[in-house]
Amino acid sequence: MNGDRVDRQRVEAVEVGARGQEAIWDMSHALVVEDGCTMRFFNSGDSVVARVEGRHQYVYEIKGDSVLLRSQETALSNLADSLPALKMVFPLTFGDSISSPIYYRGKYCGNNAIATAGIYSMVVDGEGTLILPDDTIRNVLRIHERFDTKMSVSPWAKEVVISADNDSLMRHVCDTYSWYSSDFRYPLAQITKDSFYNGANMTREDETAYLCPPATQLYALGDVRQQRQMQTPQTPNNIGGYGYNSYSNHNMNDKMLADKANAVAINVAKGHIDVTIPTNSGMISEVILSDLQGRVYGSSKGKIAHSFDTSRLPQGAYLLYVNDGENVRTERINVK
């Protein structure tokens, strides 16, 4: 909508995490390095939308269920389309993808001519749960976008014509991962990785990451939960040193570890993990077992008892996401 403003937080680099269904992306410990990284939207008529981020501007055209990237402008360059990228199609579900050739040309640093050619691709490569510092969002889709372009700059020609097959040209690969929920208009998290090449040699690599907390999103779509339950992961402790509770099955095959405050008992034994979540409210509890990269190895729903077979898992650290029906907590498990 015209005048939309999104206040994001720039955070230190976070893991992209796993793809696939039932993935878990844990960004609960993301460290904020800058607040107020605003993204603004403006529209002209019914079909043209501009997105402004700092000194970058992108102009899109909406045609039916499709979105085309028409132009992009920075402090140094101004690129308009000769062949615009088909950037998005609605609606999207897990597994959907787009591949589109692109060709832009314009000006660089004044009167220098610049042209870029390459491929834009997009795939909905993940579906699962996103854990933020102050909230846990389910039914989240992750979209992976990639611009792979080669560019040529010429101070002598008014126009530059290039071929994306020319290996001697400068190359720019931009990978962007965005996490979306149908409850919110804008991405809840976004990671961008830029790689620059001179011929076959990489010359520079940059990475930026942003969070857009649900509380800062002014507009929402769909059936929004009017009273969102804030679900904060477990606070740092002196056991695991990673901000999680830490358990190990070393010399404790029969020992129960209980958190009296939350009435949750975890038994890490050789070959299996048992979790007991007593509840008097009748709510359905859920436990998910994943590795540190978010790959899910098992999930269990029930009122009280949950059990996982770990006999075939490699030794190492894993995460248990325990939802008692009201709150979500994260437990670090060492399988030996």
Side-chain angles (χ1 to χ4, degrees):
M1 296 177 64
N2 192 40
D4 275 8
R5 168 177 172 158
V6 188
D7 290 320
R8 302 177 299 170
Q9 298 173 326
R10 188 167 65 87
V11 298
E12 287 190 352
V14 292
E15 292 293 331
V16 170
R19 58 185 179 180
Q21 292 183 290
E22 297 186 353
I24 295 177
W25 302 288
D26 190 350
M27 301 183 186
S28 59
H29 299 280
L31 182 61
V32 177
V33 295
E34 183 181 2
D35 281 312
C37 299
T38 304
M39 179 169 58
R40 293 182 174 86
F41 291 86
F42 306 93
N43 70 324
S44 176
D46 295 330
S47 62
V48 178
V49 177
R51 174 169 62 95
V52 179
E53 299 180 47
R55 303 179 74 179
H56 292 72
Q57 176 177 285
Y58 305 87
V59 177
Y60 305 92
E61 182 179 1
I62 302 173
K63 288 189 173 182
D65 61 356
S66 302
V67 179
L68 304 174
L69 176 58
R70 306 296 320 203
S71 66
Q72 46 192 311
E73 183 176 351
T74 70
L76 296 178
S77 65
N78 188 329
L79 290 168
D81 67 275
S82 178
L83 181 63
L86 174 60
K87 195 172 187 295
M88 200 67 66
V89 174
F90 299 99
L92 287 173
T93 59
F94 174 74
D96 288 347
S97 62
I98 291 173
S99 181
S100 173
I102 54 177
Y103 180 59
Y104 295 91
R105 61 188 182 187
K107 298 295 183 180
Y108 179 80
C109 288
N111 293 322
N112 296 320
I114 182 174
T116 66
I119 295 292
Y120 168 79
S121 59
M122 182 279 293
V123 61
V124 186
D125 70 350
E127 183 178 31
T129 300
L130 176 64
I131 302 177
L132 297 171
D134 292 319
D135 209 347
T136 297
I137 313 296
R138 298 185 180 275
N139 301 317
V140 172
L141 291 181
R142 186 179 77 179
I143 295 179
H144 176 200
E145 301 174 79
R146 166 171 281 200
F147 281 92
D148 189 342
T149 58
K150 293 182 179 178
M151 64 190 75
S152 179
V153 179
S154 172
W156 303 288
K158 292 184 179 180
E159 292 185 353
V160 179
V161 178
I162 72 170
S163 169
D165 297 328
N166 190 334
D167 290 333
S168 65
L169 296 176
M170 293 178 288
R171 181 184 174 206
H172 177 203
V173 179
C174 178
D175 288 291
T176 299
Y177 298 84
S178 304
W179 285 261
Y180 288 91
S181 163
S182 61
D183 282 353
F184 300 96
R185 185 187 296 273
Y186 305 109
L188 295 158
Q190 194 166 69
I191 300 172
T192 299
K193 298 184 177 183
D194 290 287
S195 301
F196 299 88
Y197 299 84
N198 188 353
N201 299 316
M202 179 184 291
T203 58
R204 194 172 89 243
E205 191 172 28
D206 301 324
E207 180 175 336
T208 55
Y210 296 95
L211 298 183
C212 184
T216 69
Q217 298 209 29
L218 299 180
Y219 302 94
L221 300 175
D223 296 326
V224 183
R225 289 171 285 176
Q226 295 298 317
Q227 308 224 344
R228 176 175 290 277
Q229 175 69 38
M230 302 302 283
Q231 298 169 331
T232 307
Q234 190 71 18
T235 55
N237 59 81
N238 295 324
I239 302 177
Y242 291 89
Y244 309 102
N245 285 337
S246 184
Y247 301 96
S248 172
N249 62 358
H250 180 61
N251 293 329
M252 46 189 307
N253 286 357
D254 300 318
K255 185 176 181 180
M256 296 293 289
L257 296 173
D259 186 322
K260 296 181 180 179
N262 294 284
V264 174
I266 298 176
N267 177 29
V268 183
K270 185 175 179 61
H272 65 91
I273 299 172
D274 299 311
V275 182
T276 303
I277 310 177
T279 174
N280 297 321
S281 63
M283 292 185 177
I284 300 298
S285 61
E286 180 180 12
V287 182
I288 299 173
L289 175 66
S290 79
D291 63 15
L292 299 184
Q293 285 71 48
R295 290 184 288 265
V296 174
Y297 290 96
S299 62
S300 172
K301 288 186 177 181
K303 291 186 177 181
I304 297 178
H306 308 263
S307 183
F308 299 91
D309 180 4
T310 60
S311 59
R312 297 183 179 181
L313 292 183
Q315 294 183 4
Y318 293 83
L319 297 178
L320 278 177
Y321 297 89
V322 181
N323 182 353
D324 64 5
E326 295 181 347
N327 298 286
V328 176
R329 51 186 291 177
T330 307
E331 311 288 355
R332 182 183 174 95
I333 303 296
N334 292 320
V335 174
K336 296 184 179 181

